[in-house]
Amino acid sequence: MEKIISFPDELYQKLIAEGEKKLPYEACGLLAGTHNQVKSFWPLQNQLASTTRFFVPKKVVSEALKCIENRKEQVLAVFHTHPSTKPVPSQYDLSHHPDEDVDMVIVSFKYPTPEIKWYQIKSKRWKECTIHISEAFQ
């Protein structure tokens, strides 16, 4: 069965703005919510300041996870940007993905209009999900 993600436009716009703000480097963070509905966006600081990789210290991630848990949400996806390449997981992305129960979101800034893709990652393989950008929280 196809996985469909509900993503409020307000949070989608914040995600795009975060990616644009961090250019030419990769931006990264977490998307959280419940039942395939994104309810919160957690930008994290890429410690590498790299155009092709991101890294966030475990302590910083743990603090974000605590906040997400306090909101009674779960991490739905780890997001990162591809400043100049397509929004397709690289071999590096696949081999370093932290948890198969958490999806991967990639926003590409290769084209004039940013392109977003949501993926389920299983056994270092990806499957694209459908994203429904909604006008407001449901």
Side-chain angles (χ1 to χ4, degrees), residues 6-13 38-39 132-137:
S6 178
F7 202 144
D9 184 62
E10 175 188 348
L11 294 179
Y12 171 74
Q13 295 303 327
V38 178
K39 295 185 177 180
H132 177 256
I133 307 293
S134 58
E135 301 238 353
F137 288 101

Side-chain angles (χ1 to χ4, degrees), residues 67-79:
C67 292
I68 291 167
E69 186 178 308
N70 288 341
R71 289 173 52 100
K72 307 284 190 251
E73 295 176 6
Q74 63 189 36
V75 175
L76 300 178
V78 172
F79 90 86

Side-chain angles (χ1 to χ4, degrees), residues 10-71:
E10 175 188 348
L11 294 179
Y12 171 74
Q13 295 303 327
K14 286 181 180 182
L15 177 73
I16 297 301
E18 177 70 10
E20 287 174 341
K21 184 170 77 174
K22 299 298 187 197
L23 288 172
Y25 305 119
E26 282 199 7
C28 59
L30 304 171
L31 295 167
T34 56
H35 309 293
N36 297 335
Q37 292 185 338
V38 178
K39 295 185 177 180
S40 61
F41 164 59
W42 303 84
L44 301 173
Q45 182 65 41
N46 181 358
Q47 297 295 304
L48 297 182
S50 167
T51 59
T52 59
R53 301 276 185 268
F54 68 92
F55 172 78
V56 179
K58 189 174 186 173
K59 180 181 179 194
V60 173
V61 174
S62 294
E63 289 169 4
L65 292 175
K66 215 176 283 182
C67 292
I68 291 167
E69 186 178 308
N70 288 341
R71 289 173 52 100

